Amino acid sequence: KQEVTQIPAALSVPEGENLVLNCSFTDSAIYNLQWFRQDPGKGLTSLLLIQSSQREQTSGRLNASLDKSSGRSTLYIAASQPGDSATYLCAVGKNDYKLSFGAGTTVTVRA
Amino acid sequence: AAGVIQSPRHLIKEKRETATLKCYPIPRHDTVYWYQQGPGQDPQFLISFYEKMQSDKGSIPDRFSAQQFSDYHSELNMSSLELGDSALYFCASSWGTSGGLSYEQYFGPGTRLTVT
């Protein structure tokens, strides 16, 4: 059974600092990995998708890396803004269709 | 761009009642997934459909059933509701999973079910 762990569980930084969110998974036989953002009580917004053959993906201030062999992914958010405050979820996809989610990292960016 | 549509957005039911949640995937997406997110928890996979056939099943109670229709929309039917069924239910869709290559899942806004 795929176990997905996200560290830290919560993070508070001043505006302008770079954010580093970590995700680890136990079964390296994955097909892809997605990073999501969730605002309180709201839906999931897909941020980045990394296929298993890729090592990183970038979108604006976001960059996600994937090291499949060590079972790790890292989401970097550059020059954080108060609007980046949310919970960030990492989810791993295998060939059985479903995504296995981590518990998320709750980020607070202080103005 | 069209997104995944879920209805209703909010639903309040009493114990032992039934509920039906609907999901309309992004046009041309042929795979639908259902997830349940309890308060303070991460989303848990319930069930998925590919081309109207059940493709995978997770921790879905026997009281729940689901199907995907010819127009690719999906419905999650929940009977004999319990207090513990109160959660946010997400539907996601993607374009195909042929050859084992899984594509990006796009999530709907969720249906918040409250069982009293």
Side-chain angles (χ1 to χ4, degrees):
Chain A
K1 180 177 179 284
Q2 179 72 272
E3 299 288 342
V4 182
T5 304
Q6 291 187 246
I7 294 173
L11 189 59
S12 179
V13 299
E15 183 176 3
E17 261 197 27
N18 297 330
L19 290 163
V20 181
L21 310 179
N22 298 300
C23 171
S24 62
F25 45 94
T26 54
D27 185 350
S28 62
I30 67 169
Y31 275 71
N32 63 26
L33 186 146
Q34 275 186 258
W35 281 94
F36 293 90
R37 168 186 172 137
Q38 186 173 33
D39 292 287
K42 302 295 185 182
L44 299 169
T45 300
S46 180
L47 298 173
L48 290 167
L49 167 73
I50 311 177
Q51 298 289 354
S52 62
S53 58
Q54 299 174 320
R55 294 192 65 85
E56 69 175 340
Q57 277 288 335
T58 298
S59 176
R61 294 184 294 112
L62 276 59
N63 174 275
S65 66
L66 174 64
D67 184 342
K68 206 171 72 159
S69 61
S70 67
R72 293 179 185 177
S73 176
T74 303
L75 177 67
Y76 301 90
I77 303 177
S80 62
Q81 304 167 359
D84 294 330
S85 299
T87 296
Y88 292 83
L89 293 153
C90 160
V92 174
K94 288 191 66 176
N95 61 346
D96 53 1
Y97 303 91
K98 64 178 181 282
L99 289 176
S100 297
F101 282 83
T105 294
T106 299
V107 171
T108 302
V109 180
R110 308 186 302 271
Chain B
V4 177
I5 297 172
Q6 291 188 247
S7 68
R9 294 292 307 278
H10 302 273
L11 191 59
I12 300 175
K13 291 285 186 179
E14 294 186 356
K15 283 195 304 183
R16 292 180 289 277
E17 285 192 323
T18 61
T20 297
L21 279 54
K22 297 185 179 182
C23 169
Y24 298 86
I26 291 173
R28 294 188 299 282
H29 281 192
D30 53 13
T31 306
V32 168
Y33 316 77
W34 286 97
Y35 293 84
Q36 176 193 57
Q37 186 177 31
Q41 299 179 0
D42 53 286
Q44 295 293 318
F45 171 78
L46 292 177
I47 196 167
S48 63
F49 294 87
Y50 169 60
E51 282 291 346
K52 293 153 280 185
M53 299 287 289
Q54 181 182 309
S55 53
D56 197 7
K57 195 171 181 179
S59 50
I60 182 170
D62 291 340
R63 300 177 289 106
F64 294 7
S65 65
Q67 57 181 325
Q68 186 179 31
F69 295 86
S70 58
D71 64 351
Y72 294 100
H73 95 272
S74 177
E75 295 184 4
L76 177 66
N77 299 293
M78 310 158 70
S79 62
S80 302
L81 287 170
E82 302 173 357
L83 294 178
D85 296 329
S86 295
L88 195 53
Y89 289 83
F90 289 110
C91 170
S93 73
S94 70
W95 182 73
T97 53
S98 62
L101 179 65
S102 53
Y103 294 88
E104 185 170 5
Q105 292 187 24
Y106 293 85
F107 280 70
T111 293
R112 183 169 296 282
L113 172 67
T114 303
V115 181
T116 62

